[in-house]
Amino acid sequence: MTLNVVFENRVFHPHCTSMWGFACHIPQMRLLFDTGSNGAVLLGNMEAMGIEPREIETVVLSHFHWDHAGGLLDLLRAHGSKDVYLHSGFSRTFASEASGLGARVIMEDSPIKITPEAVTTGAVPGPVTEQGLVVRGPRGWILLTGCAHPGIVRMTEEAIRVVGEPVHMVLGGFHLLDRTTSQVTAVAKRLMEMGVSMVAPCHCTGERAIETFADIYGDAFVRVGAGTSVEITAT
Ligand SMILES: [Fe+2]
Ligand SMILES: [Fe+2]
């Protein structure tokens, strides 16, 4: 399984552009999780990575912050109808703008099995209501998070509860910008105890927290930015 980071604050590809926000594409599922803050950058990065936006059938948005939802309307405008999974944290105006551009909008707070291999956590309450997406790869379940405003441990707990099995990897924003190193260390150890054996923290995790995760997880830490393709293989 491939996880293409197509929008991120840092860039690891000569022809991609960095901008504050997050989006991750899974080609095998024809799925996009979040859309970054800017349609032109999103589409430009996809082109640089050889991704055809028209082939994306499903878009899941984590939460109604512009650095995650901002690319959706341009994507729909340029590349036609898609299924778009939102929750009640999104405004009705935003949902109807997406519908107006041909999207089939599914606004749901409960977990949804999009396919047997892609399940939303449902809307997790927090400072900002947010949903994660849990996808099954060759080594088991992977959680994608946008900002993890409800807390990365909380999001992971929900993911495990929804699929009823362990989550071996978490990729996305962990929202630890304002935490001390000892607090971040405690979060990393908690995730390890929960069975998360691989992490790719990015976006709003915070530079210092990302380095703490790199120290703690060692070889099981994956550094990602715009243009990174993470290949998950069976072994
Ligand atoms: Fe964010
Ligand atoms: Fe956010």
Side-chain angles (χ1 to χ4, degrees), residues 14-235:
H15 304 299
C16 284
T17 303
S18 64
M19 192 178 275
W20 183 260
F22 180 70
C24 182
H25 167 250
I26 307 178
Q28 292 85 350
M29 295 185 168
R30 297 176 177 263
L31 185 149
L32 183 67
F33 178 76
D34 282 348
T35 58
S37 53
N38 178 291
V41 170
L42 176 73
L43 296 173
N45 286 351
M46 283 188 181
E47 192 181 349
M49 294 177 76
I51 297 162
E52 173 49 67
R54 208 164 276 280
E55 288 178 3
I56 295 168
E57 293 171 355
T58 307
V59 183
V60 178
L61 294 190
S62 60
H63 66 299
F64 194 34
H65 276 168
W66 208 245
D67 51 336
H68 300 259
L72 178 73
L73 300 179
D74 281 347
L75 173 69
L76 295 173
R77 219 169 267 130
H79 298 285
S81 165
K82 302 180 187 309
D83 292 348
V84 178
Y85 289 82
L86 307 178
H87 52 71
S88 61
F90 289 84
S91 80
R92 293 201 172 275
T93 310
F94 180 72
S96 54
E97 276 181 299
S99 308
L101 292 168
R104 188 175 79 95
V105 175
I106 301 100
M107 217 162 179
E108 177 58 58
D109 283 350
S110 302
I112 301 182
K113 200 176 265 190
I114 299 170
T115 70
E117 271 79 44
V119 187
T120 72
T121 60
V124 182
V128 180
T129 303
E130 180 163 343
Q131 67 183 349
L133 181 72
V134 207
V135 292
R136 201 207 299 265
R139 288 189 222 169
W141 293 98
I142 298 165
L143 169 64
L144 303 180
T145 58
C147 281
H149 289 290
I152 190 64
V153 169
R154 177 92 178 83
M155 297 298 293
T156 307
E157 282 169 352
E158 278 305 303
I160 293 168
R161 192 184 65 78
V162 162
V163 297
E165 286 178 23
V167 164
H168 79 89
M169 180 183 184
V170 185
L171 182 151
F174 289 14
H175 210 69
L176 298 167
L177 278 162
D178 53 351
R179 302 299 177 88
T180 64
T181 299
S182 64
Q183 286 172 321
V184 173
T185 302
V187 169
K189 292 200 166 148
R190 182 76 195 103
L191 289 176
M192 269 187 173
E193 284 165 15
M194 294 167 78
V196 177
S197 59
M198 207 173 162
V199 286
C202 56
H203 181 45
C204 58
T205 304
E207 294 298 329
R208 207 164 37 126
I210 288 173
E211 294 316 316
T212 304
F213 270 92
D215 288 346
I216 293 173
Y217 269 84
D219 289 346
F221 165 87
V222 187
R223 197 174 291 279
V224 297
T228 307
S229 292
V230 183
E231 293 291 341
I232 310 290
T233 53
T235 49

